[in-house]
Amino acid sequence: MTNYNQYHAYHCDLLVRLNAVSSAENTTAMTRFFNHEVNFIGVKAPMIKQVVREFQVEQAQLDANGYLALTEHILEHAKYTEEVLLAFGLINKFVKRHYDEKLLLRFQYWLEHYVSNWSHVDDLCIKTVYQFMLSRPHLIETTQSWTRSASPWCRRAANVVWVKFIKRKIGKNTFMLSKALIFENCDRLLKDEDPFVQKSVGWLLKVAAVEHEEDVIRYLKTNINSMQRATLRYAIEKLDPCTRKQLLSNTSKGKG
């Protein structure tokens, strides 16, 4: 078999496995979380993870590079959202200790060409890219360049990829994401018209407030009149009730 035919066979096998654990009820339940059309097979995240685990036990002859090639084959041909999530899952156990730094460019390419909803972005960033960055913390701040992408999904990722690195124990050291860069990201994307990018701005501010509460409150007060209300609501979730109420009351002149 050629490599293409082999990867195609693997892909078909994985689709059969996904369909075997799918249900119409799952599709209905999952659809509720999206306000645009998404193609589902009807498989929830724990079952996708189980399919990946069982496949990898059976296909132990595939090395890290083989799984990366399979991931890219699936992404290129995927029709369902669960296929994309499964493709990311296939390399999760390899990204921390395998591949070189060029994989970060592939992540960006995937975000710009294969990702089509918020769950793809968040799964890739919170699981796959997170594991990749744990052994390459010097690359974490370089993803700020994603804020300039033409793809709204990549721009969302520019914030989501940082939410677990505001303060993170890595080995014997503690990594602290630059406070200045956090607010720079927010400045760059605060007027972004995409609602999912807006929600990511709120998410980044919310997690930043755990370590930099006064700075986040100051930023919110300064920018409140140009901030969408949904973004603000995300950002203030971890603040005390009195502060939340005060900030919300100041949005009467801001965006709705």
Side-chain angles (χ1 to χ4, degrees), residues 214-232:
E214 291 184 3
D215 296 286
V216 169
I217 292 172
R218 189 180 304 113
Y219 182 85
L220 294 174
K221 288 180 177 179
T222 300
N223 294 280
I224 203 161
N225 288 332
S226 59
M227 185 174 292
Q228 294 187 12
R229 194 172 181 86
T231 307
L232 178 63

Side-chain angles (χ1 to χ4, degrees), residues 176-236:
M176 288 287 294
L177 185 63
S178 166
K179 185 169 56 177
L181 284 183
I182 294 171
F183 294 121
E184 281 180 23
N185 257 33
C186 295
D187 285 341
R188 291 184 181 192
L189 299 173
L190 197 59
K191 296 182 180 179
D192 198 293
E193 296 181 358
D194 187 271
F196 295 102
V197 175
Q198 283 297 320
K199 289 177 180 179
S200 76
V201 173
W203 188 1
L204 184 60
L205 288 170
K206 177 178 70 174
V207 294
V210 175
E211 299 295 330
H212 311 293
E213 183 175 288
E214 291 184 3
D215 296 286
V216 169
I217 292 172
R218 189 180 304 113
Y219 182 85
L220 294 174
K221 288 180 177 179
T222 300
N223 294 280
I224 203 161
N225 288 332
S226 59
M227 185 174 292
Q228 294 187 12
R229 194 172 181 86
T231 307
L232 178 63
R233 285 190 175 276
Y234 270 83
I236 65 177

Side-chain angles (χ1 to χ4, degrees), residues 127-249:
K127 298 176 183 177
T128 313
V129 183
Y130 169 68
Q131 290 295 329
F132 178 78
M133 293 297 195
L134 281 177
S135 58
R136 305 164 184 86
H138 61 285
L139 294 179
I140 294 170
E141 295 181 353
T142 68
T143 57
Q144 187 177 56
S145 63
W146 294 357
T147 61
R148 304 297 192 192
S149 175
S151 165
W153 301 120
C154 193
R155 298 197 303 275
R156 176 182 172 87
N159 286 330
V160 177
V161 76
W162 282 358
V163 297
K164 295 181 77 171
F165 287 109
I166 303 298
K167 182 179 181 181
R168 174 63 48 182
K169 183 78 171 176
I170 302 179
K172 296 181 179 180
N173 301 313
T174 298
F175 175 87
M176 288 287 294
L177 185 63
S178 166
K179 185 169 56 177
L181 284 183
I182 294 171
F183 294 121
E184 281 180 23
N185 257 33
C186 295
D187 285 341
R188 291 184 181 192
L189 299 173
L190 197 59
K191 296 182 180 179
D192 198 293
E193 296 181 358
D194 187 271
F196 295 102
V197 175
Q198 283 297 320
K199 289 177 180 179
S200 76
V201 173
W203 188 1
L204 184 60
L205 288 170
K206 177 178 70 174
V207 294
V210 175
E211 299 295 330
H212 311 293
E213 183 175 288
E214 291 184 3
D215 296 286
V216 169
I217 292 172
R218 189 180 304 113
Y219 182 85
L220 294 174
K221 288 180 177 179
T222 300
N223 294 280
I224 203 161
N225 288 332
S226 59
M227 185 174 292
Q228 294 187 12
R229 194 172 181 86
T231 307
L232 178 63
R233 285 190 175 276
Y234 270 83
I236 65 177
E237 282 184 8
K238 292 186 179 292
L239 301 180
D240 67 86
C242 291
T243 303
R244 292 201 304 268
K245 184 177 180 180
Q246 179 188 22
L247 287 167
L248 286 172
S249 69

Side-chain angles (χ1 to χ4, degrees), residues 55-72:
F55 178 83
Q56 289 181 328
V57 168
E58 295 175 19
Q59 304 297 338
Q61 79 283 357
L62 278 175
D63 61 11
N65 289 328
Y67 274 106
L68 179 58
L70 177 56
T71 288
E72 295 204 306

Side-chain angles (χ1 to χ4, degrees), residues 5-15 55 59 61-62 70 74:
N5 288 338
Q6 184 63 72
Y7 293 134
H8 177 71
Y10 288 144
H11 186 187
C12 290
D13 177 27
L14 287 162
L15 269 175
F55 178 83
Q59 304 297 338
Q61 79 283 357
L62 278 175
L70 177 56
I74 294 173

